[in-house]
């Protein structure tokens, strides 16, 4: 009798546990169409965080940085490098143009209020370009340094030291037997002492770049505040034939 009772007791308990386990296991999974909005929100939050704190892609609109960057190149610009350090000479950076650089800038936003609102919203996720005059150039000198052109060979000098710049595609002609023209008709500019916290930037395609040289008469002497820098260009991500890293080349170390 004791054996029967014990056996029955154990058997009944096992059946109950099994039924409860089956009920738990039989819980229906949500249909995909119900989970999709949640997944979209999660993806949007991740994208917004990436754009805000890590980096974002940009499209090259002009020939001022050829051959390093060409018209239509899509580049990835990261922000992480500048959380613990300042931009350095030789780096290719994207920055917002100071006021005197924005004379020819035209907003990329629609005149329609609703469409403009949608564009502004999408820009937080990197799906639409920001509504600002973003430019890309190479840092030639940083705060406290004096930059000018030229030495007897027509080279840019920083703190009196001439730079050998292998990345330059085109430059204005340099004459040794007659006076040379001042930018924008020739190479000559400066000297300019870069204010602390600012940068002197130039395009690699020197005679096709309206860079710091073109703005020496403004209140910043053509320099760009470090706070205007959006990030460091590190990679060309499109088109496939152009995919590859964008390297820092500091001519001051040559």
């Amino acid at each position: 009798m004791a054996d029967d009772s014990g056996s029955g007791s154990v058997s009944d308990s096992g059946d109950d546990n099994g039924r409860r386990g089956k009920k738990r296991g039989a819980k229906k999974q949500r249909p995909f169409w119900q989970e999709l909005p949640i997944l979209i929100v999660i993806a949007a939050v991740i994208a917004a965080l990436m754009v805000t704190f890590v980096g974002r892609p940009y499209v090259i609109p002009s020939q001022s940085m050829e051959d390093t960057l060409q018209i239509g190149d899509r580049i990835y610009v990261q922000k992480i490098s500048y959380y613990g350090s300042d931009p350095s000479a030789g780096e290719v950076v994207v920055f917002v143009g100071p006021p005197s650089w924005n004379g020819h800038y035209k907003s990329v936003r629609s005149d329609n209020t609703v469409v403009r609102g949608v564009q502004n919203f999408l820009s937080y996720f990197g799906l639409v370009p920001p509504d600002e005059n973003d430019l890309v150039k190479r840092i030639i000198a940083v705060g406290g340094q004096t930059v000018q052109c030229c030495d007897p060979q027509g080279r840019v000098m920083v703190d009196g030291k001439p730079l050998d710049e292998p990345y330059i595609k085109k430059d204005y002609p340099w004459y040794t037997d007659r006076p040379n023209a001042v930018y924008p008709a020739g190479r000559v500019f400066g000297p300019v002492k870069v204010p602390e916290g600012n940068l002197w930037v130039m395009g690699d395609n020197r005679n096709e770049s309206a860079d710091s040289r073109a703005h020496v008469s403004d209140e910043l002497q053509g320099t760009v505040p470090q706070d205007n820098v959006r990030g460091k260009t590190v990679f060309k991500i499109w088109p496939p034939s152009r995919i590859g890293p964008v390297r820092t080349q500091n001519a001051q170390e040559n």
Side-chain angles (χ1 to χ4, degrees), residues 28-135:
K28 282 189 175 182
Q29 186 176 2
R30 289 182 181 180
F32 178 72
W33 64 267
Q34 289 183 351
E35 294 185 346
L36 183 59
I38 299 174
L39 295 175
I40 291 174
V41 170
I42 293 173
V45 170
I46 292 173
L49 291 173
M50 290 286 289
V51 168
T52 303
F53 299 107
V54 179
R56 68 180 301 154
Y58 290 85
V59 180
I60 301 300
S62 75
Q63 58 187 336
S64 70
M65 281 297 293
E66 291 181 346
D67 281 332
T68 303
L69 303 173
Q70 297 182 359
I71 295 174
D73 282 355
R74 291 182 179 271
I75 57 175
Y76 188 76
V77 176
Q78 57 94 348
K79 304 180 178 185
I80 298 173
S81 293
Y82 299 143
Y83 287 150
S85 61
D86 294 330
S88 301
E91 296 175 344
V92 177
V93 295
V94 169
F95 60 93
V96 179
S100 72
W101 297 56
N102 299 333
H104 299 289
Y105 176 68
K106 185 177 180 181
S107 174
V108 296
R109 295 292 184 262
S110 171
D111 293 331
N112 182 288
T113 304
V114 175
V115 175
R116 185 168 61 250
V118 172
Q119 290 174 325
N120 288 335
F121 177 74
L122 292 177
S123 70
Y124 290 115
F125 308 102
L127 300 175
V128 172
D131 189 20
E132 58 189 23
N133 185 22
D134 291 323
L135 304 163

Side-chain angles (χ1 to χ4, degrees), residues 6-250:
S7 176
S9 176
V10 171
S11 176
D12 291 342
S13 175
D15 289 345
D16 289 343
N17 289 337
R19 282 194 293 270
R20 283 195 295 269
K22 286 179 180 179
K23 286 180 181 179
R24 286 194 297 268
K27 186 178 180 181
K28 282 189 175 182
Q29 186 176 2
R30 289 182 181 180
F32 178 72
W33 64 267
Q34 289 183 351
E35 294 185 346
L36 183 59
I38 299 174
L39 295 175
I40 291 174
V41 170
I42 293 173
V45 170
I46 292 173
L49 291 173
M50 290 286 289
V51 168
T52 303
F53 299 107
V54 179
R56 68 180 301 154
Y58 290 85
V59 180
I60 301 300
S62 75
Q63 58 187 336
S64 70
M65 281 297 293
E66 291 181 346
D67 281 332
T68 303
L69 303 173
Q70 297 182 359
I71 295 174
D73 282 355
R74 291 182 179 271
I75 57 175
Y76 188 76
V77 176
Q78 57 94 348
K79 304 180 178 185
I80 298 173
S81 293
Y82 299 143
Y83 287 150
S85 61
D86 294 330
S88 301
E91 296 175 344
V92 177
V93 295
V94 169
F95 60 93
V96 179
S100 72
W101 297 56
N102 299 333
H104 299 289
Y105 176 68
K106 185 177 180 181
S107 174
V108 296
R109 295 292 184 262
S110 171
D111 293 331
N112 182 288
T113 304
V114 175
V115 175
R116 185 168 61 250
V118 172
Q119 290 174 325
N120 288 335
F121 177 74
L122 292 177
S123 70
Y124 290 115
F125 308 102
L127 300 175
V128 172
D131 189 20
E132 58 189 23
N133 185 22
D134 291 323
L135 304 163
V136 58
K137 306 291 180 190
R138 189 182 298 275
I139 301 173
I140 302 301
V142 298
Q145 295 185 316
T146 298
V147 58
Q148 66 185 105
C149 194
C150 304
D151 79 339
Q153 298 179 36
R155 295 175 294 184
V156 172
M157 294 185 292
V158 174
D159 290 338
K161 177 185 176 182
L163 307 182
D164 290 317
E165 302 178 274
Y167 41 75
I168 293 178
K169 177 185 180 181
K170 293 180 182 177
D171 209 339
Y172 295 96
W174 181 253
Y175 305 106
T176 57
D177 58 346
R178 63 177 185 258
N180 286 275
V182 175
Y183 178 89
R187 298 190 190 189
V188 179
F189 69 86
V192 175
K193 184 168 184 179
V194 182
E196 293 292 344
N198 285 27
L199 307 166
W200 180 270
V201 297
M202 298 173 72
D204 290 356
N205 193 358
R206 290 288 158 84
N207 59 359
E208 296 290 346
S209 178
D211 46 43
S212 287
R213 299 168 296 171
H215 304 281
V216 290
S217 61
D218 71 13
E219 68 277 9
L220 300 174
Q221 292 185 281
T223 64
V224 176
Q226 288 182 180
D227 290 343
N228 284 34
V229 174
R230 289 292 181 254
K232 177 181 176 181
T233 305
V234 291
F235 213 79
K236 292 172 285 187
I237 58 178
W238 195 260
S241 61
R242 298 275 300 158
I243 290 176
V246 178
R247 295 184 175 87
T248 297
Q249 297 185 71
N250 186 358

